[in-house]
Amino acid sequence: PVPGRCAYFVGRKKRFCKMIPAPGRRFCGEHGQQEEESDRKRIPCPLDPKHTVYEDQLQKHLKKCNSREKPKPVYFVQDINAGLKDVAEIPEKQVPISSLSKGELENLIIKLKNASNGLELHLEEQILSHQALQEALNDPKNGESAFKHLKQQASILGNMEKLHLLGPGRCFVEFGAGRGKLSHWVDVALQNVDNVQFLLVERATTRFKVDGKHKRRNSVFERLQVDIQHLCLNKVPILEKKKLPVVGIGKHLCGAATDLALRCLVESYTTCSDGQSEEPAPKRSRNDKTEVASNNSADNESNKDDCKPVAGIVIALCCHHKCDWTHYVGREFFKSVGLGPVEFHYFQRMSSWATCGMQETTTKASTSEGSEDQTNDTEEHEQTFSKTESGSDTLQGILTVEERKEIGCLCKLLIDRGRIEYLQQRGYKAALQYYTESAVSLENVLLTAVPSPSLIPEPTT
């Protein structure tokens, strides 16, 4: 063991424990039972068996254990954004793609291509930048990974500026905030603007947060440690008090988290402040979407001062293979093109072929491109994809690498199209665009949405 460190050998990790024991002891508190002179017994914590505690101190430990259930915040509403309530419609567990026969796989591809007929397959490029990041982009101290993140953040801010979303009297809600870097750059872009609020939504505890460094009086940062599935923005105290227009933002919002965030903004938040309606917005058929603005313009004009509006949505999409039919906002769209939960399950798995599905079976060039993106950008997002989905003998015998990549892109586009339809049916002008080059990130599609012109609220000052 390293001098001054615990002398317990951790067999699972094939190394000695790195904890520092108390003076005069060979073992740390976790492994103290190894000392022959100690007759105190340690047992697994009943709240989290990954760590142990002295049996005679169990009750004291349970009161302060980090794994204990903590009081729910006021904005926690169980499953408010979860989506599907009818368990009968939730599909049973499906077999992996690698277990499908050649005929079954070919049938799925035919369904995919039929459903994609009429869709715009080539997205517009909106690769922009913003002056707030110019100094950082030109800083030679930044490595390649940091430079790629900065280019993406700059383009997201550029797209926000183009949609007139960077302004005073707004609350920016960053979903899946992580360290909060996107909110940081929005704050830098608004350094001379008053009455700006940032809500950083992240279910996990995060190290190296950047929002704690912001001390400007013009903007306020607040973290909401809650799963988006249970977040009711109506009950967040600062929004109850100020009723600011909200701008929902996110950089690589993973899989189902995008659907949860859209429902959080469009349904559970877009209600009137007098509490007359907290039910989700009624679903409209695809034929009604052109009438949304006209049907609602009169009501919104008369109640403009009473409603909590969503001024815009800007989300960089990611990890379609982690989408879930239960939470997916585009279920009505899928049904309208003759698809259901079974097809959705396979399409969301096949969507990963667009970014990492070719890793196990392709040339070195393809492999290095995929792994570089994983390491520098999506990090753990794509790492969880099963190798059996991408490198099975069945796929090698039917599809080439390029064909798989094309099908993966088509799956992602179809899933995203359902999200666009969902937003359009609720009165939003929504679009998909490439916001950065594929060399910077293979996950390079940005979803944007703003209310139809007649529904755009005046910012609160």
Side-chain angles (χ1 to χ4, degrees):
V2 178
R5 299 298 175 100
C6 178
Y8 181 80
F9 185 78
V10 186
R12 180 172 58 87
K13 297 184 178 180
K14 295 182 174 58
R15 63 166 173 77
F16 285 94
C17 174
K18 295 182 179 180
M19 298 298 291
I20 300 175
R25 293 185 177 272
R26 296 181 59 228
F27 299 94
C28 66
E30 183 73 14
H31 302 122
Q33 73 270 27
Q34 300 298 315
E35 291 189 271
E36 295 179 1
E37 66 271 22
S38 175
D39 58 356
R40 299 173 70 189
K41 181 181 179 182
R42 291 185 72 89
I43 60 174
C45 172
L47 299 179
D48 182 3
K50 291 181 181 179
H51 65 274
T52 62
V53 60
Y54 283 116
E55 189 174 26
D56 57 2
Q57 291 186 338
L58 177 60
Q59 295 307 315
K60 181 180 178 181
H61 171 80
L62 292 177
K63 294 178 181 178
K64 62 180 182 179
C65 179
N66 288 333
S67 298
R68 72 190 186 280
E69 185 175 357
K70 301 175 181 64
K72 296 290 190 293
V74 293
Y75 45 78
F76 181 97
V77 177
Q78 185 72 37
D79 294 329
I80 186 171
N81 304 314
L84 190 61
K85 302 294 193 298
D86 184 7
V87 294
E89 194 179 337
I90 299 175
E92 298 179 0
K93 187 175 181 179
Q94 305 291 329
V95 298
I97 296 175
S98 56
S99 299
L100 295 176
S101 67
K102 179 178 179 180
E104 289 172 327
L105 184 59
E106 289 176 340
N107 187 47
L108 276 173
I109 294 173
I110 291 172
K111 286 185 177 182
L112 173 67
K113 293 183 177 180
N114 288 340
S116 303
N117 283 337
L119 296 185
E120 179 54 58
L121 302 181
H122 302 287
L123 304 183
E124 182 181 355
E125 280 194 357
Q126 291 289 341
I127 303 175
L128 307 176
S129 190
H130 195 279
Q131 59 184 8
L133 288 95
Q134 287 309 305
E135 183 177 348
L137 284 167
N138 295 326
D139 188 349
K141 295 180 181 179
N142 287 318
E144 184 180 2
S145 175
F147 181 69
K148 287 182 176 183
H149 284 289
L150 289 168
K151 286 196 71 174
Q152 293 172 73
Q153 290 154 346
S155 184
I156 291 173
L157 261 67
N159 277 277
M160 292 175 67
E161 185 173 55
K162 183 177 180 180
L163 294 171
H164 308 292
L165 296 178
L166 295 177
R170 299 194 187 281
C171 177
F172 295 88
V173 182
E174 183 179 357
F175 294 94
R179 294 176 58 197
K181 294 287 285 189
L182 183 56
S183 291
H184 161 77
W185 289 117
V186 173
D187 185 56
V188 172
L190 298 174
Q191 57 184 342
N192 297 319
V193 173
D194 293 328
N195 194 20
V196 177
Q197 172 78 32
F198 291 91
L199 294 177
L200 281 65
V201 182
E202 177 59 61
R203 66 182 178 183
T205 54
T206 306
R207 301 177 66 193
F208 310 116
K209 297 184 285 286
V210 299
D211 40 292
K213 302 176 183 178
H214 290 269
K215 306 298 182 185
R216 289 199 304 114
R217 287 178 292 178
N218 293 346
S219 60
V220 179
F221 281 75
E222 180 180 349
R223 275 194 174 258
L224 308 180
Q225 188 176 342
V226 62
D227 193 309
I228 305 170
Q229 181 170 332
H230 313 301
L231 172 60
C232 180
L233 287 176
N234 279 330
K235 297 182 182 295
V236 176
I238 189 67
L239 291 177
E240 276 192 316
K241 180 180 178 181
K242 291 192 174 183
K243 300 179 176 61
L244 295 174
V246 161
V247 178
I249 60 176
K251 178 177 176 286
H252 286 172
L253 193 54
C254 193
T258 293
D259 300 297
L260 296 172
L262 292 179
R263 194 175 283 108
C264 177
L265 292 165
V266 175
E267 294 185 21
S268 68
Y269 183 66
T270 310
T271 59
C272 292
S273 59
D274 58 9
Q276 291 178 0
S277 174
E278 291 198 4
E279 294 298 317
K283 294 181 179 178
R284 302 178 176 89
S285 68
R286 299 178 74 191
N287 297 329
D288 293 339
K289 63 185 179 183
T290 57
E291 302 175 10
V292 171
S294 60
N295 289 344
N296 290 305
S297 60
D299 293 338
N300 279 273
E301 193 66 35
S302 60
N303 296 324
K304 184 180 292 185
D305 296 330
D306 298 328
C307 289
K308 301 175 181 179
V310 174
I313 301 170
V314 180
I315 295 174
L317 304 173
C318 178
C319 297
H320 294 70
H321 68 275
K322 288 189 176 181
C323 291
D324 188 294
W325 179 259
T326 304
H327 305 313
Y328 182 49
V329 297
R331 292 192 303 269
E332 294 302 318
F333 166 74
F334 255 62
K335 292 176 183 177
S336 71
V337 292
L339 302 175
V342 174
E343 290 81 10
F344 179 85
H345 166 82
Y346 289 118
F347 291 167
Q348 50 105 193
R349 300 306 299 169
M350 291 156 65
S351 69
S352 201
W353 295 351
T355 53
C356 70
M358 68 287 285
Q359 286 185 5
E360 300 297 320
T361 57
T362 68
T363 63
K364 293 181 180 180
S366 299
T367 305
S368 62
E369 180 184 11
S371 59
E372 180 182 29
D373 187 70
Q374 289 175 4
T375 303
N376 293 338
D377 196 346
T378 59
E379 299 170 349
E380 80 281 1
H381 292 249
E382 296 292 354
Q383 301 282 353
T384 59
F385 186 69
S386 171
K387 292 181 182 180
T388 60
E389 300 286 6
S390 59
S392 71
D393 294 335
T394 303
L395 300 181
Q396 292 183 43
I398 300 174
L399 303 169
T400 65
V401 170
E402 287 304 316
E403 286 173 334
R404 265 176 284 165
K405 184 176 180 181
E406 180 183 347
I407 289 171
C409 291
L410 205 55
C411 290
K412 292 173 68 170
L413 179 64
L414 194 67
I415 292 172
D416 289 337
R417 185 62 209 178
R419 292 163 169 167
I420 295 297
E421 290 271 334
Y422 168 83
L423 291 167
Q424 289 176 343
Q425 290 173 8
R426 282 156 178 79
Y428 287 84
K429 182 181 178 182
L432 299 168
Q433 51 263 310
Y434 294 119
Y435 77 103
T436 192
E437 300 90 349
S438 59
V440 173
S441 173
L442 293 177
E443 297 282 16
N444 61 342
V445 174
L446 188 71
L447 183 151
T448 61
V450 293
S452 296
S454 60
L455 304 180
I456 296 177
E458 294 295 330
T460 304
T461 56

